[in-house]
Amino acid sequence: MAPSLFTRTRTEPEYSPEPWSEIGETWMPEGVIVSQRFLALAGAVVLVYTADAGVNGTYYAVACLGCSYRARYKDRDNPIYSEQAGGEIANAHAAQCRALPRDLPTRPDDAAAREIVRRRLHSERRSDYDVTVYLTSFHLDRLALQRSTEWIEEELQRLADEQPEILTAKPRTYGTGTEFTILRFPKG
C-alpha cells in the first residue's frame, strides 16, 4: 500500500529544538518581542509581537508563520495599540487558518535585509506628498528582517546619506533622535 499524503516515512526521530531555559522560547528573532502565540487549526503558529517602543508608543503586529497573513491595523485606520487587541486578531485568524507549520524564517544577510528596508520605503512613497517614516512602518517586516531598531535606524541614515533625493534625515523637532522623510515621487 502506498503511503498517504500525511504519513511519515522517515525512521529517524523528529528534531525539536531545546527551549532556552531562561525564557522557555525556541526562537527569538532580533528586534522582535513576541508577547502571545496561538495555534492554528493545522498547527501553524500565529504570533502577536512588537518591537521597541517608538516616539508614539508601543504598537503590535500579528503574523501567521504558516500562511502569508500579516496585520498591523485593527481596522482600516487604527493600528494595533494593545496586546489584547493583537491577541483578539491573532485568535480570530488562528480559529480559521488551516495552514500547516513551516520552517521558521532564517535571518537574512545584510544585503537581503537592506533590500527589505528599500522595498518598505518604496511601498510607503507617494506621488503627491512627503511621508514621515515611523519605525512602526517596519512592524510587518520585523520577522523577515530580524534586525534591531538601531540597525534599521542606521540603515535609514545610510540611505538618507546615499540617496537624499529619496530620503532625508534631520533631528527630531521634539524629543531625541532622527526624523526620516520619504520624498514624493518627482513630477515628470
Side-chain angles (χ1 to χ4, degrees), residues 150-161:
E150 293 77 23
W151 186 92
I152 295 170
E153 289 173 332
E154 288 171 7
E155 182 59 20
L156 292 172
Q157 184 63 58
R158 188 179 74 73
L159 287 169
D161 292 342

Side-chain angles (χ1 to χ4, degrees), residues 122-136:
H122 183 73
S123 72
E124 301 282 329
R125 197 172 185 194
R126 303 289 173 251
S127 60
D128 51 347
Y129 58 92
D130 297 341
V131 177
T132 301
V133 177
Y134 297 102
L135 288 173
T136 55

Side-chain angles (χ1 to χ4, degrees), residues 82-130:
S82 70
E83 183 179 348
Q84 179 182 351
E88 291 168 2
I89 294 166
N91 191 33
H93 176 76
Q96 53 94 31
C97 179
R98 288 178 165 73
L100 294 170
R102 290 189 303 187
D103 289 337
L104 295 171
T106 58
R107 187 175 195 269
D109 62 22
D110 283 347
R114 285 187 180 103
E115 185 57 31
I116 293 169
V117 170
R118 281 190 208 99
R119 279 195 316 260
R120 172 58 53 200
L121 293 175
H122 183 73
S123 72
E124 301 282 329
R125 197 172 185 194
R126 303 289 173 251
S127 60
D128 51 347
Y129 58 92
D130 297 341

Side-chain angles (χ1 to χ4, degrees), residues 54-69:
V55 294
N56 296 325
T58 302
Y59 295 88
Y60 291 85
V62 175
C64 180
L65 297 180
C67 70
S68 60
Y69 180 77

Side-chain angles (χ1 to χ4, degrees), residues 38-91:
F38 293 84
L39 192 59
L41 295 173
V45 176
V46 183
L47 302 176
V48 177
Y49 64 94
T50 187
D52 301 333
V55 294
N56 296 325
T58 302
Y59 295 88
Y60 291 85
V62 175
C64 180
L65 297 180
C67 70
S68 60
Y69 180 77
R70 306 278 184 271
R72 67 177 179 152
Y73 288 99
K74 186 174 181 175
D75 55 44
R76 185 180 154 156
D77 298 319
N78 295 309
I80 303 171
Y81 290 114
S82 70
E83 183 179 348
Q84 179 182 351
E88 291 168 2
I89 294 166
N91 191 33

Side-chain angles (χ1 to χ4, degrees), residues 17-29 32-37 45 47-48 65 104:
E18 289 293 320
W20 298 346
S21 59
E22 303 85 358
I23 57 174
E25 298 292 336
T26 56
W27 183 60
M28 290 291 295
V32 176
I33 301 164
V34 176
S35 62
Q36 294 182 38
R37 281 171 195 72
V45 176
L47 302 176
V48 177
L65 297 180
L104 295 171

